[in-house]
Amino acid sequence: AAGTNVTRFAQQVERYRPRAIAMASTSALEQAERTLRTAGHAAFDQVGSGAGGLTAVATHPDVDLVLCASAGTAALEAVLAAIEAGKTIALANKEVLVMAGRLVMEAARLRGVSILPVDSEHNAIHQCLHGRQPDEIRRLILTASGGPFRDWTGGALERATPQDALDHPTWNMGRKITVDSATLMNKGLEVIEARWLFDVGPEQIAVVVHPQSVVHSLVELRDGSVIAQLGITDMRLPIQYAFSYPDRWDMELPALDLARCGRLDFDTPDLARFPCLELAFRALRAGGALPVVLNAANEVAVEAFLAGRIGFTAIPTVIEQALSAAESDRDLPREADTLAAVRDIDAWARRFSGDLAGEVESKQLHGSPAGRENSDVRGKTSAKR
C-alpha cells in the first residue's frame, strides 16, 4: 500500500510481485494498474484505494506482519483491523498511538498481538528492556538530535523558513516529520508513544538532546544503572529488528566506529525556544481528548508553515490555543475511548486549528511585525511563552 507516487509504486510491485495492492487515491491506483498491465503484471487477489484499500492489504490472509509507516492518522482504522485479524504490528507511525494509544494497546492485549516499535528511539528502548521486569524501570530516556535549529536564537527562529526547517543535520526524513524535529514536537509525540508502548507514566519519561544521534535512547533502572542502545543512523537497523524479532539477522552495514564518533554530547531541551515538547507533556498528563487535539493541531500548523502561511514560531501558538480551547469546550468528548470519539475530537481540532492558522496568516498579510502574531492570537498566550 502506498500514497500517490505511481512510478515508484509500480517499480516496487514489479520487484516484489505482491498479491494485494492499494493506493491512497482511486486515480493513482488506476494509473498504476495501467502501468502494471502494460508491463504484463496485473494478477492481484485484492485491489483497493483509500482507507478500504489500506485495510484490505493490512488484513490479507497471507500477511504475518504489518509495517505501518504512513504519515498522519489515515492508517488508524487499518491498524485496528490488522490487530483484530491477529497480525503482528511493526509501528513506525507515531500518530496512531498518540491519537488512540489506549484503544490500540487494549485491542492488541485482547488479541495477543505484539506491537513492535520501529521508531529508532522506541526500538532502542525495546532492545534495552529485553529481559527486564516492569518494576526494574525507573526512567525511559529518549534522545533528540535537536534538529536544524538547535543553536538558533529566538529572534532567528521567528524568521525561519520551511527550507531552513527541512535541512535536518542527521536524518533524511519526510517533510512533516522533519519540521516536527525542528520544533521538538517529534520528540513530544514520541513521549506519548512511549507511554503506551511501554506502559509507563509521564514522570518516567525524560528527553535529552544528543546532537550526534549515536545513542538512540536509554533506560535507567531502579538501582541507577543506565543501559543505552547505540548504532549508526540508518533506519534499516530498527526495521530489520522488528521484522526478525525475537531473532537477530545479519546485516551488511558499516559497524559503529566509536573512535571516529569522538565525543558524545547530552543537553537539556530548551523549552523556552521549543515549547512544543512541553505542550506534548501537558497533553499526556491531562490525557483524554488532549493528545488527539495536540496531534491534529500540530498537523494543521505544520502544513500551514510548509505552505508559507504562518511563521515557524506560530506553530506552538496554534497548538497551545487548541489545547486550551479543548479544555474549556464542554461539548467535546472528554475521553478518546472509542474510534468515533477519536475521530470527532480530531475533526474538531482540525477545524479550530485551521481557523486559527487563518487568523495568523491574515495578521501576517496585513503587516504585523514578525512573531508578534504568535503571542497575540485571540488574546490567549501560553504560560511557557
Side-chain angles (χ1 to χ4, degrees), residues 154-170:
L157 288 174
E158 291 180 352
R159 299 185 294 274
T161 67
Q163 191 54 50
D164 293 330
L166 294 173
D167 187 20
H168 197 281
T170 307

Side-chain angles (χ1 to χ4, degrees), residues 13-293:
V13 170
E14 276 294 295
R15 179 174 180 179
Y16 296 107
R17 301 284 169 161
R19 292 187 177 90
I21 63 170
M23 296 195 77
S25 71
T26 301
S27 60
L29 181 64
E30 290 174 348
Q31 186 179 346
E33 286 187 284
R34 287 194 297 271
T35 301
L36 291 166
R37 277 196 298 270
T38 301
H41 181 59
F44 305 106
D45 292 349
Q46 293 175 329
V47 178
S49 62
L54 200 57
T55 297
V57 168
T59 59
H60 191 280
D62 288 351
V63 168
D64 300 305
L65 179 145
V66 175
L67 172 64
C68 176
S70 63
T73 63
L76 175 56
E77 285 82 356
V79 168
L80 288 170
I83 292 172
E84 183 61 29
K87 315 298 187 183
T88 298
I89 308 296
L91 193 61
N93 171 295
K94 302 172 181 62
E95 292 87 349
V96 164
L97 289 185
V98 172
M99 288 183 68
R102 188 180 303 281
L103 279 175
V104 171
M105 298 309 292
E106 179 65 11
R109 185 188 66 80
L110 291 174
R111 290 288 292 137
V113 165
S114 296
I115 307 289
L116 301 173
V118 173
D119 255 351
S120 61
E121 295 83 359
H122 303 92
N123 189 272
I125 290 172
H126 191 275
Q127 295 185 53
C128 292
L129 290 177
H130 191 63
R132 305 287 170 190
Q133 298 302 312
D135 62 359
E136 295 182 64
I137 303 166
R138 179 181 293 171
R139 285 193 307 163
L140 309 181
I141 305 171
L142 300 170
T143 56
S145 69
F149 300 146
R150 186 177 66 251
D151 300 320
W152 285 41
T153 65
L157 288 174
E158 291 180 352
R159 299 185 294 274
T161 67
Q163 191 54 50
D164 293 330
L166 294 173
D167 187 20
H168 197 281
T170 307
W171 295 95
N172 180 17
M173 305 177 292
R175 287 163 60 84
K176 191 265 183 182
I177 192 173
T178 304
V179 175
D180 282 349
S181 178
T183 64
L184 288 194
M185 179 56 86
N186 187 52
K187 208 53 48 181
L189 299 178
E190 289 177 3
V191 165
I192 299 175
E193 186 182 7
R195 178 266 176 273
W196 293 111
L197 280 170
F198 306 112
D199 195 22
V200 295
E203 71 284 354
Q204 292 179 275
I205 307 172
V207 173
V208 296
V209 175
H210 171 51
Q212 291 86 3
S213 297
V214 171
V215 178
H216 296 301
S217 277
L218 313 92
V219 172
E220 181 182 5
L221 303 178
R222 66 182 183 184
D223 63 0
S225 297
V226 177
I227 299 175
Q229 189 269 334
L230 287 69
I232 62 172
T233 53
D234 193 310
M235 282 303 298
R236 285 174 290 182
L237 288 169
I239 292 170
Q240 177 169 291
Y241 175 86
F243 278 23
S244 68
Y245 182 80
D247 299 326
R248 284 187 184 267
W249 299 337
D250 291 336
M251 178 173 281
E252 295 181 3
L253 288 176
L256 177 64
D257 188 336
L258 287 173
R260 179 171 291 183
C261 289
R263 59 182 287 172
L264 300 177
D265 298 299
F266 300 92
D267 297 303
T268 302
D270 186 338
L271 300 182
R273 287 186 298 134
F274 303 103
C276 283
L277 179 56
E278 178 55 34
L279 291 174
F281 270 105
R282 169 182 164 184
L284 177 58
R285 287 190 290 264
L290 258 61
V292 184
V293 174

Side-chain angles (χ1 to χ4, degrees), residues 307-324:
R309 294 173 45 218
I310 66 173
F312 180 78
T313 54
I315 294 174
T317 301
V318 170
I319 299 166
E320 193 279 332
Q321 307 243 347
L323 291 177
S324 295

